[in-house]
Amino acid sequence: MSLYMEAPQKLPDFWLWEERRKKQGLVSFTLELTPRCNNACRHCYINLPAGDGQARERELDFDGIKKIVDEAAELGAMWCLITGGEPLLREDFEDIYLYIKRKGIFVSVFTNATLISEKHVQLFKKYPPRALEITVYGVTEKTYGAVTGKPELFAAFMRGVRLLLDAGVPLSLKTVMIRSNVHEFQEIAAFCRAHSSEPFRFDPFIHLRFDRDEKRNQEIREERLSPEAIVALEHSDSARHDALQKNCEKLVFNEDMDNPEGFLFGCGAGISEFYVNHEGFFMLCASLYGSGLLYDLKNGTIKNALDDFVPKIRAMRTTKTEYMANCGRCRIINLCLWCPAHAFLEMGQLDACVDYFCSVAKERYKKMLL
């Protein structure tokens, strides 16, 4: 029995809601509990083997996580996403989950569902997450195995989904589209729509690894869909295509952007949300990883990170001619994969242009005009 398995409070009883009404600022944060995973997906940017002892030793312990959650709550955070790796590998997952819930914070969980047990089902049924998001890599053992490297876990995945559905736990099902499973797109879409009331989402964009493992990065490049394949996939899904068409005017600027100062960050990274990796490093977003881009919360506070560290990162500029003439002024950049974080993972530079990203954006724009 968890130490935190108590009767849930009613929402009006949570002090956090009153605090949130009084202030603006921090809204959400993500906790990466582990980089370890029982799958071995070819496209993954982080996963290490489930039994990796060194990785386990580097993971924040429960006390370290409580400290971060406490401070985030004090600062007004209302939503936390628990992710990994596979977060259910953590033996203290239940305690972490319930500790966050007891703060009055909405909790979402990303999982591959292969480790779902009756105990997890009862936990999620009694203390429902804001969202329980499961990635569907394939709906046949062959395709699931081609993506994850673990065909033997397909049955566990299906069992986990079924246990949750039978218990009435609402699911959000999504997928990532890569070369190993794109042939099964329609079947995956049908499965997701049949088993979840949430809108079906798919992501055809995968970025390179944090550890810069070149062998693994080459596997990721091999799994990437071509720009033409990405656009054809989006065009084949009426909901996705209609959304792109509807928002065309918002996504595409009428003229080139004006950024003479060369600021790199035009997104909201680090403003109302942040990311904490498994070692306790504060990150502006889930992708911005590298030397000088992390803040160690073991030796500092979230408030200091938000007040001092984030502004320094967001103030970064460039005078690089290639960037200023291309990405820095591109009117279709919202159709692109480009951002400083992804550029750094691809090229080791925050201001690097990436040909693949540019090709995707141009192909998407061309199709939107049809």
Side-chain angles (χ1 to χ4, degrees), residues 51-307:
D52 190 318
Q54 291 184 341
R56 186 196 296 266
E57 289 179 3
R58 293 195 300 268
E59 293 168 9
L60 277 177
D61 61 17
F62 186 36
D63 287 337
I65 290 172
K66 288 195 295 183
K67 177 178 177 292
I68 289 170
V69 172
D70 288 346
E71 188 180 357
E74 290 281 352
L75 292 171
M78 299 175 65
W79 172 43
C80 174
L81 167 63
I82 296 176
T83 187
E86 173 48 56
L88 297 188
L89 280 171
R90 288 281 299 238
E91 295 177 358
D92 55 357
F93 171 83
E94 182 179 343
D95 288 337
I96 294 169
Y97 178 83
L98 287 172
Y99 189 84
I100 301 170
K101 291 279 285 184
R102 289 179 72 227
K103 292 289 182 180
I105 296 174
F106 285 127
V107 184
S108 297
V109 181
F110 284 1
T111 178
N112 62 33
T114 60
L115 297 176
I116 292 290
S117 66
E118 291 287 357
K119 184 178 180 182
H120 294 120
V121 171
Q122 293 308 311
L123 173 68
F124 294 138
K125 188 174 181 179
K126 188 171 184 179
Y127 302 95
R130 179 179 182 270
L132 187 60
E133 296 200 8
I134 297 172
T135 304
V136 181
Y137 296 113
V139 291
T140 62
E141 181 179 294
K142 182 178 181 181
T143 299
Y144 188 91
V147 175
T148 67
K150 299 288 185 70
E152 67 275 14
L153 290 183
F154 177 68
F157 157 72
M158 293 294 287
R159 177 180 181 274
V161 170
R162 179 51 56 193
L163 282 173
L164 293 164
L165 290 173
D166 288 347
V169 178
L171 306 180
S172 178
L173 301 179
K174 59 186 180 180
T175 192
V176 58
M177 279 290 108
I178 57 178
R179 291 182 184 272
S180 288
N181 69 352
V182 68
H183 63 281
E184 210 168 84
F185 174 70
Q186 295 300 336
E187 292 79 3
I188 293 173
F191 178 90
C192 292
R193 288 176 170 134
H195 294 90
S196 174
S197 60
E198 295 294 319
F200 167 61
R201 293 182 292 115
F202 64 96
D203 190 354
F205 307 128
I206 52 178
H207 63 69
L208 300 185
R209 288 182 64 87
F210 287 165
D211 60 15
R212 312 192 79 80
D213 183 319
E214 185 50 38
K215 180 179 178 181
R216 296 297 306 275
N217 276 345
Q218 185 55 37
E219 291 180 349
I220 292 172
R221 294 186 188 99
E222 291 170 359
E223 286 290 352
R224 281 177 169 167
L225 300 178
S226 69
E228 293 78 13
I230 288 175
V231 172
L233 195 65
E234 292 179 328
H235 195 68
S236 71
D237 186 82
S238 58
R240 178 85 160 228
H241 180 258
D242 291 348
L244 285 171
Q245 292 281 24
K246 181 180 179 180
N247 293 293
C248 181
E249 293 183 0
K250 297 179 182 178
L251 293 171
V252 177
F253 302 119
N254 291 326
E255 55 188 31
D256 290 346
M257 292 191 298
D258 183 23
N259 182 22
E261 297 89 357
F263 286 109
L264 291 171
F265 291 87
C267 62
I271 295 177
S272 62
E273 59 186 348
F274 63 89
Y275 189 101
V276 180
N277 82 348
H278 63 281
E279 296 180 275
F281 284 99
F282 175 105
M283 300 162 57
L284 274 70
C285 73
S287 302
L288 190 60
Y289 188 94
S291 178
L293 301 173
L294 310 176
Y295 178 90
D296 191 352
L297 290 176
K298 295 187 293 295
N299 299 313
T301 67
I302 296 172
K303 188 175 188 311
N304 286 342
L306 292 172
D307 290 348

Side-chain angles (χ1 to χ4, degrees), residues 3 5 11 13 16 19 44 48 62 65 116 169 178 201 225 229-230 237-238 298 316 342 347 360:
L3 295 174
M5 189 68 77
L11 288 181
D13 296 321
L16 176 59
E19 291 300 309
C44 189
L48 295 174
F62 186 36
I65 290 172
I116 292 290
V169 178
I178 57 178
R201 293 182 292 115
L225 300 178
I230 288 175
D237 186 82
S238 58
K298 295 187 293 295
M316 287 183 171
H342 291 165
M347 311 292 288
V360 170

